[in-house]
Amino acid sequence: MAVSDLTALESTQARTGLRRRSLDRVLDSVGIWPVMVAATALYLLVFVGYPVVYNVVMSLQDVTVSNLRSFDRPWVGLANYERIFSDPLFPVVLRNTAIFVGLNVALQCIGGLAVALFFQQPFPGASFLRGLVLAGWILPPLVIGAVWKWLLASDNGILNYALQSLGLLNSPVFWLSDPSTSLIAVTMANVWFGLPFNMILIAAGLAGIPRDLYEAAALDGAGPIRRFMSITLPLLRPTLYALVALSTIYTMRAFDLIWTMTHGGPVDSSNIFPVWSYRLSFEVFDFAGGAAISTLMLLVVFLVALVYVRSVRAEKQV
């Protein structure tokens, strides 16, 4: 390269650096960070705060198809909530939701921990297999629901075929059309769908544990179980707290997968609160009832988040 070219290049770089420093000084002088914070707050108010407030207000009104587009709606107070609580379907949906959320949180956390510990061990093809596990999490819930609906089909489903081939079943199981198995079916699908997310969080927590602790414990004669109970679990406690809270919140809003597989049936055997809210709002056009159920779900999610924040705060003070 010629001397003139080098000189021109250096001059261009110097001018670029000067412009960048000038831009930084201008941004600092106008206070760009308050502007960014204000923009974020405005976004949250418009796209999160307004829908939440609108839903809460609608749950306190008598909303019908005729007055849905207008804001001239009579106030009924807590009448919609009283109607939801007195509905014969409420205890059924409450039981289904409790079973669905409880099983999903427990199995996703335990399964995610097991898979994360498995992939922590060095072996050929670990990265490839980890990528395959994560591939299922990338897919939309509608696709996951369609795939599992095909896997659990009574006539030509892969699961029934495999179990019958192994001699574990004499006749096919009607996973999605039998009230005694439909909730189990959607739970299996949702656990499989959410397990990679739990694995990622736990793997990040495991990566933050110093290897020196395991080496020192091994030198002291501690076995794998003892190292897991004395080192891994205590140091993973903050991660597990976050995992339980996030899994509960994500499972509480599960709708797409269940709607694709069972529509909440048969006979409301897999009906949970998000599905019930949707059916009230868009099948029966009971918008106020659907809003009341959504508000109750929001309250549960808020309580879970509050318990998580308090537990983390108490953990830091210890």
Side-chain angles (χ1 to χ4, degrees):
M1 182 179 294
V3 177
S4 59
D5 294 337
L6 288 175
T7 304
L9 179 61
E10 291 175 355
S11 177
T12 302
Q13 291 176 346
R15 288 195 299 270
T16 302
L18 180 62
R19 284 197 296 269
R20 288 179 179 175
R21 288 192 295 270
S22 301
L23 180 61
D24 291 339
R25 285 195 296 268
V26 171
L27 292 178
D28 291 338
S29 63
V30 300
I32 188 63
W33 297 115
V35 174
M36 295 178 65
V37 172
T40 304
L42 180 63
Y43 173 84
L44 292 176
L45 285 175
V46 173
F47 294 100
V48 178
Y50 174 75
V52 169
V53 173
Y54 182 83
N55 185 82
V56 173
V57 171
M58 191 164 60
S59 70
L60 302 174
Q61 299 174 326
D62 182 17
V63 185
T64 62
V65 177
S66 59
N67 62 14
L68 179 63
R69 297 181 60 182
S70 67
F71 290 91
D72 185 17
R73 307 163 184 168
W75 291 84
V76 295
L78 300 177
N80 292 318
Y81 294 93
E82 295 175 358
R83 182 163 50 84
I84 292 298
F85 287 135
S86 61
D87 195 308
L89 193 56
F90 179 80
V92 177
V93 177
L94 179 63
R95 177 186 63 86
N96 292 342
T97 305
I99 295 174
F100 181 75
V101 174
L103 287 178
N104 270 277
V105 172
L107 294 177
Q108 286 181 9
C109 292
I110 296 173
L113 178 59
V115 175
L117 290 172
F118 172 74
F119 282 118
Q120 195 183 27
Q121 310 302 319
F123 61 90
S127 300
F128 175 74
L129 291 177
R130 191 184 297 113
L132 286 181
V133 173
L134 293 175
W137 183 52
I138 301 174
L139 297 175
L142 287 174
V143 176
I144 299 297
V147 171
W148 273 88
K149 188 175 183 179
W150 171 65
L151 291 175
L152 298 175
S154 56
D155 297 330
N156 52 0
I158 292 179
L159 183 59
N160 277 332
Y161 175 78
L163 294 177
Q164 287 179 298
S165 300
L166 294 174
L168 300 177
L169 288 179
N170 295 325
S171 59
V173 176
F174 297 88
W175 296 100
L176 302 177
S177 57
D178 189 345
S180 62
T181 58
S182 60
L183 188 60
I184 298 175
V186 296
T187 300
M188 288 192 302
N190 199 71
V191 167
W192 183 88
F193 177 56
L195 191 141
F197 175 75
N198 291 261
M199 182 198 71
I200 293 174
L201 289 185
I202 295 177
L206 290 174
I209 300 177
R211 299 295 98 188
D212 298 343
L213 297 178
Y214 292 104
E215 296 175 0
L219 291 176
D220 291 339
I225 298 179
R226 182 64 177 175
R227 293 197 297 269
F228 175 77
M229 299 299 297
S230 301
I231 299 176
T232 305
L233 276 184
L235 295 180
L236 272 182
R237 192 174 300 160
T239 302
L240 294 177
Y241 283 159
L243 200 61
V244 170
L246 291 175
S247 297
T248 303
I249 293 172
Y250 288 154
T251 308
M252 280 292 299
R253 63 181 181 85
F255 167 77
D256 311 41
L257 187 144
I258 296 178
W259 188 257
T260 304
M261 295 180 65
T262 64
H263 284 244
V267 200
D268 294 307
S269 58
S270 61
N271 194 2
I272 64 173
F273 281 121
V275 178
W276 191 22
S277 176
Y278 177 86
R279 292 171 67 174
L280 281 179
S281 299
F282 300 104
E283 291 185 353
V284 187
F285 301 112
D286 182 6
F287 301 106
I293 295 175
S294 299
T295 303
L296 292 174
M297 292 169 52
L298 177 65
L299 179 61
V300 172
V301 168
F302 175 77
L303 292 176
V304 171
L306 182 63
V307 170
Y308 165 67
V309 172
R310 291 179 64 88
S311 63
V312 171
R313 203 174 281 172
E315 185 78 15
K316 291 181 178 179
Q317 293 176 355
V318 175

